[in-house]
Amino acid sequence: MITAVATRRPVIRGIAAALLALVLGACAPAATPPSTDVPGADGFPRTVTDGAGRSVRLPARPLRIVSQTLASDEMLFPMVAPERLVGLSSLSRDPKYSNVVTEATRHPAPSIESAEDIVRLRPDLVFVTTYSRAELVQVLESTGAPVYRLANFDDLEGVVANLRRIGAAVGDEPAAERMVTEMQRRLAAVAARRAGRPPMRVLSFSGGFTAGRGTTFDDIVRRANGVNEAAARGLEKFPKLSEEQVLAWNPDVLVAGVLPGETESARRRLLTGAGVGQTTAARRNQIVLIDTRRLLAVSQHVVDAVEQLADGLDAFQAAR
Amino acid sequence: MTRAVPRPPYAAVLIVLLTALVLIGIVAIGVGTVSIPPLRVVGLLTEAFHAPWSGRDADPELVILMAIRVPRVLVAGLIGAALAVAGAQMQGLFQNPMASPDVIGTSTGAALGAVLAFALGLAQSHVLWLPALSCLGAATSLAVVYALTTRRGRTSVAMLLLAGVAMNALLSSLTTFVISLQWVRYEVAQEVVFWLMGGLEDRTWTHVWMAAPLVALGLAAATALARDLDLFTTGEDAAATLGLDVERAKRRVLAVAAVLSGTAVAVGGVLGFVGLLVPHALRLIVGPSHRRLVPAVAIAGAIFVIGADLVARTVLAPVEIRLGIITGICGAPFFLWLLGRYRREVGA
Amino acid sequence: MSLAAAGAGLSIAGRWLVRGASVTIEPGRLVALVGPNGSGKSTLLRLLAGVWAPTEGNATLDGAPLARVPRRTLARAVALVPQDTHIAFAFSVREVVAMGRHAHLGRFERERPADQTAIDEAMARADIAAIADRDATELSGGERQRVLIARSLATEARHLLLDEPTASLDVAHALDVLAFCRRLADEGHAVAVALHDLNLARRFATDAVLLREGTVVASGPVDRVLTPGAVGEVFGVTVSIATPPPPDTSSVYVFSKR
């Protein structure tokens, strides 16, 4: 009988599905009940909705926060008292990506490599992103730690939203609001000085890839009062681009992300590229090299990139 | 002149294997960023029956154990048993000691199925799509190789290995193609790499419940098919006259091997050489009769993968080596040695 | 109890391997199937064993078409010893012989005392009791042949079909195997052997079936079928007769190209 079952795969599926359903049903965590918490003086306990739309219940003001992503590292450092951070992402100390290398290096909290590292720290709040590995998040949730998912975003409004969400989750709304206000002030300043200038055609070109619609770069260009050539041509996200294509489009300005120390070689590469070197941007040396850690930042540090781009565009347009 | 075949008593072998399994399981559960001594592991496991495993009041060691370590070791054991038995089944079906899920491309087929489950968004919509498509991929790949290479119940080594090379190449390029497509998201690419290299980090109880029923069914079916597989040893025609329904037996063995390797790949990615090494070694100890081979191979396979995972976690701690690399390092030299022995036997 | 083919034919991919073959294998007879390569000897054996279903005509056991005989019943009545005796894995001799009991056991049953007796008897008759615990892959061709014959005997099948049992054996062993087959026939089995060596056929068989290109040219008692003329015709050779020195009284055909 068993072998007869074994032959018919649909029957195996059926039995396995039934078994699985039974067992999962027995093990499934109870659905989060609607909050009946009465918040105390500090605003806790409270239930917040994270970036993935899930309810996260926080019984008390989080004092042992683990940040599993660089985004939350960068947003948390200015926002909360350092002793409340007990775990940082492994990227926080990587000088190639992190905007908080100095603070992180000085900070005693360990880098997180695995789920075990996190559980050992007995966190009362863990920040992950919606693109963190699903199994890792599952394991964390099964240990009972409150897990807060930050949503992915593709414009600076998303950064503002995440700052506010983090503020609500850690109970530091005023600090978060201050950071938001600062961001908006600087962006307004850029908008003011760039207003009225004819927009220049800007193209990002790094490692053969460009950035089109639906990327933070696109938003950066818009806020610096430029035109993202790749978006105008209908490209989305990060497609590959040939030098021929770059030449055909002939942007006014080329933008590339560089690490400190690579500036000269990056500029040379763009100026002497077979196709790229013949563009208006290259011939007039209208190249803006922005610190890649700011250009790709997923936190408030991205405003630096807006300012750097605006500076460059101002300089080119003043020269003419 | 050769001596009679000396084999240790079967019951003794099973007892030794089971003891080894329990021991290595406990040691493996104790290893990690925090080292938990074996006695404490046993203590914690007994605690687990009445203490909470999660939440603010739980003992953090118990949380780590029950949320992270125990599921991982269980999955490792299930994968090892499944792959080893699938290998034994394939070797019996092809009447060839070189057959195994990875050598002939079955694991890669399963990986492609799993990757498709992710890329098409099916895996995220229901938890059963992943093992379903993985098993389907394994079955298709296995059936193709069998149809191409086996005549009258015999497969030449050369044909088998060539078909395996071709299958692996074809399936790997299809998988790479899925990665390269513009619309594939970063998370999918991440998963794809995981499947192709094999690894057990962040295994949860969901994976245990996904694999356990299928592996149990597969093992039971393999045991039931044991005598059928023995009969293939002098060819299909003789097997038929001994009373075997050859076509039905073939289909059943293929199905069981596909379910076992598909499930293993679904929860652990492609792990090479387990299905080759373990049946070989055990055949030397308990003999080729499948009724005794299958249970022994299942336990030994579990021990092997739990052990390999242990090595993967400890050798370069805190960095984890990918599990597929460990099984490859053990298995590939053994495979080459096998080829050398075959060459000498055949005088090729 | 007799195994027979009546006008049986098998065609694969448009080619007839055997056509219109009518043969009877009865207890007490040793039937030699002889013919040049490709004449359909092996195919006919497989039709008789029920391994392949005939495209036309039928193969019957006691009048019932083989396709309608339950698999286990057929296995207990007809046994086939294949030409290829290669064993891929190191089963012991006893384990190989024990496979013959498959049709007598349920799926989860272990061998009972009755089965052990049958196995022991089969091994004794085939004279391999002494090597019962040896590794079957390490035996000589002749020993392996006897192991497979023992396995057939263990099935307790009345009808034994052997496909070229002497193909890779040296002279002494070939004589042994065929003498054994004749003894089995004399003890009441119905034995059919596909042979390429005509002198062995003449010496040991009671009956013969002469095949050419898939058709039965002649069948009946061996002396009537394997005449020098018929043999010369089918094989395309000249046949002369040689008489060995006494005390051996059998005569031997000597062949030369036409």
Side-chain angles (χ1 to χ4, degrees), chain A residues 90-247:
Chain A
S90 48
L91 284 181
S92 61
R93 294 171 170 114
D94 189 337
K96 289 198 298 295
Y97 297 99
S98 171
N99 289 303
V100 290
V101 175
T102 334
E103 297 91 320
T105 321
R106 275 203 309 248
H107 199 286
S111 289
I112 303 300
E113 300 282 351
S114 69
E116 262 190 50
D117 293 334
I118 298 179
V119 173
R120 260 187 11 201
L121 297 165
R122 310 191 73 175
D124 47 22
L125 180 57
V126 183
F127 284 105
V128 299
T129 65
T130 48
Y131 51 84
S132 297
R133 289 201 72 235
E135 286 92 359
L136 172 66
V137 178
Q138 242 185 10
V139 167
L140 290 177
E141 286 181 323
S142 71
T143 68
V147 175
Y148 191 100
R149 291 166 171 75
L150 290 173
N152 206 357
F153 51 80
D154 51 18
D155 60 21
L156 273 64
E157 274 312 306
V159 177
V160 168
N162 273 351
L163 277 171
R164 289 193 170 125
R165 285 174 177 284
I166 291 183
V170 301
D172 277 304
E173 292 92 327
E177 213 44 51
R178 277 197 296 276
M179 290 169 73
V180 168
T181 310
E182 179 61 15
M183 267 185 76
Q184 290 170 333
R185 186 193 62 76
R186 290 164 66 187
L187 289 171
V190 166
R193 68 175 150 113
R194 292 290 306 152
R197 306 298 204 117
M200 301 183 84
R201 290 161 52 243
V202 178
L203 185 74
S204 153
F205 193 63
S206 283
F209 286 88
T210 189
R213 247 202 318 262
T215 62
T216 34
F217 179 76
D218 194 49
D219 200 23
I220 290 172
V221 172
R222 202 172 325 121
R223 288 176 189 269
N225 194 15
V227 168
N228 183 1
E229 189 65 19
R233 302 279 181 169
L235 293 180
E236 290 200 15
K237 297 288 178 191
F238 300 98
K240 225 173 181 333
L241 211 58
S242 69
E243 292 213 15
E244 255 185 48
Q245 191 62 270
V246 175
L247 181 54

Side-chain angles (χ1 to χ4, degrees), chain A residues 188-319:
Chain A
V190 166
R193 68 175 150 113
R194 292 290 306 152
R197 306 298 204 117
M200 301 183 84
R201 290 161 52 243
V202 178
L203 185 74
S204 153
F205 193 63
S206 283
F209 286 88
T210 189
R213 247 202 318 262
T215 62
T216 34
F217 179 76
D218 194 49
D219 200 23
I220 290 172
V221 172
R222 202 172 325 121
R223 288 176 189 269
N225 194 15
V227 168
N228 183 1
E229 189 65 19
R233 302 279 181 169
L235 293 180
E236 290 200 15
K237 297 288 178 191
F238 300 98
K240 225 173 181 333
L241 211 58
S242 69
E243 292 213 15
E244 255 185 48
Q245 191 62 270
V246 175
L247 181 54
W249 291 348
N250 200 17
D252 301 324
V253 177
L254 283 168
V255 177
V258 294
L259 284 174
E262 289 178 1
T263 327
E264 279 324 300
S265 54
R267 184 180 297 275
R268 204 180 14 250
R269 238 194 333 270
L270 286 174
L271 289 175
T272 60
V276 179
Q278 304 304 313
T279 55
T280 309
R283 280 183 286 112
R284 294 196 191 150
N285 204 0
Q286 290 180 169
I287 297 177
V288 183
L289 300 168
I290 304 182
D291 189 330
T292 191
R293 296 167 298 179
R294 307 281 193 266
L295 193 56
L296 300 175
V298 285
S299 65
Q300 66 278 6
H301 292 96
V302 72
V303 178
D304 289 13
V306 178
E307 290 173 341
Q308 287 182 36
L309 180 59
D311 291 345
L313 294 179
D314 274 346
F316 304 147
Q317 285 179 317

Side-chain angles (χ1 to χ4, degrees), chain A residues 2-3 6-7 9 12-13 16-17 19-20 23 27 115-117 119-120 122 131 133 135-136 138-139 142-144, chain B residues 32-34 54-56 58 63-64 67-69 128 139 190 201-204 206-207 209 213-214 221 224-225 252 255:
Chain A
I2 293 178
T3 44
T7 332
R9 268 198 295 283
I12 288 191
R13 289 276 90 67
L19 281 171
L20 197 52
V23 165
C27 294
E116 262 190 50
D117 293 334
V119 173
R120 260 187 11 201
R122 310 191 73 175
Y131 51 84
R133 289 201 72 235
E135 286 92 359
L136 172 66
Q138 242 185 10
V139 167
S142 71
T143 68
Chain B
T33 53
V34 179
S54 67
R56 312 212 56 182
V63 172
I64 291 182
I68 301 173
R69 308 263 184 95
L128 282 181
Q190 219 181 10
E201 64 275 345
D202 303 327
R203 298 298 89 186
T204 63
T206 310
H207 297 104
W209 301 135
L214 292 172
L225 289 169
R252 285 171 170 175

Side-chain angles (χ1 to χ4, degrees), chain B residues 282-303:
Chain B
L282 267 298
R283 212 176 269 116
L284 292 172
I285 302 175
V286 302
S289 167
H290 287 84
R291 213 175 51 208
R292 290 191 290 183
L293 190 63
V294 168
V297 151
I299 303 174
I303 295 174

Side-chain angles (χ1 to χ4, degrees), chain C residues 52-79:
Chain C
W52 287 336
T55 320
E56 64 173 28
N58 42 43
T60 60
L61 179 66
D62 285 344
L66 295 185
R68 272 200 273 228
V69 178
R71 198 175 298 276
R72 286 163 68 89
T73 315
L74 186 59
R76 296 209 280 240
V78 180

Side-chain angles (χ1 to χ4, degrees), chain C residues 132-155:
Chain C
D133 295 312
R134 288 265 303 275
D135 180 347
T137 55
E138 287 171 357
L139 301 177
S140 69
E143 287 170 320
R144 271 209 312 276
Q145 193 63 259
R146 281 188 299 171
V147 170
L148 293 191
I149 295 179
R151 186 175 72 177
S152 304
L153 293 174
T155 67

Side-chain angles (χ1 to χ4, degrees), chain C residues 172-242:
Chain C
H173 289 120
L175 291 172
D176 280 340
V177 166
L178 280 171
F180 181 45
C181 288
R182 179 58 185 260
R183 232 180 12 254
L184 290 173
D186 293 338
E187 285 168 6
H189 286 277
V191 186
V193 185
L195 280 178
H196 64 269
D197 186 326
L198 291 163
N199 283 308
L200 285 176
R202 289 181 61 238
R203 184 161 166 176
F204 291 101
T206 60
D207 299 62
V209 172
L210 185 58
L211 291 148
R212 175 171 57 183
E213 285 168 12
T215 48
V216 174
V217 169
S219 68
V222 62
D223 286 322
R224 277 228 309 271
V225 172
L226 298 182
T227 59
V231 165
E233 175 74 39
V234 169
F235 283 86
V237 290
T238 312
V239 181
S240 48
I241 304 184

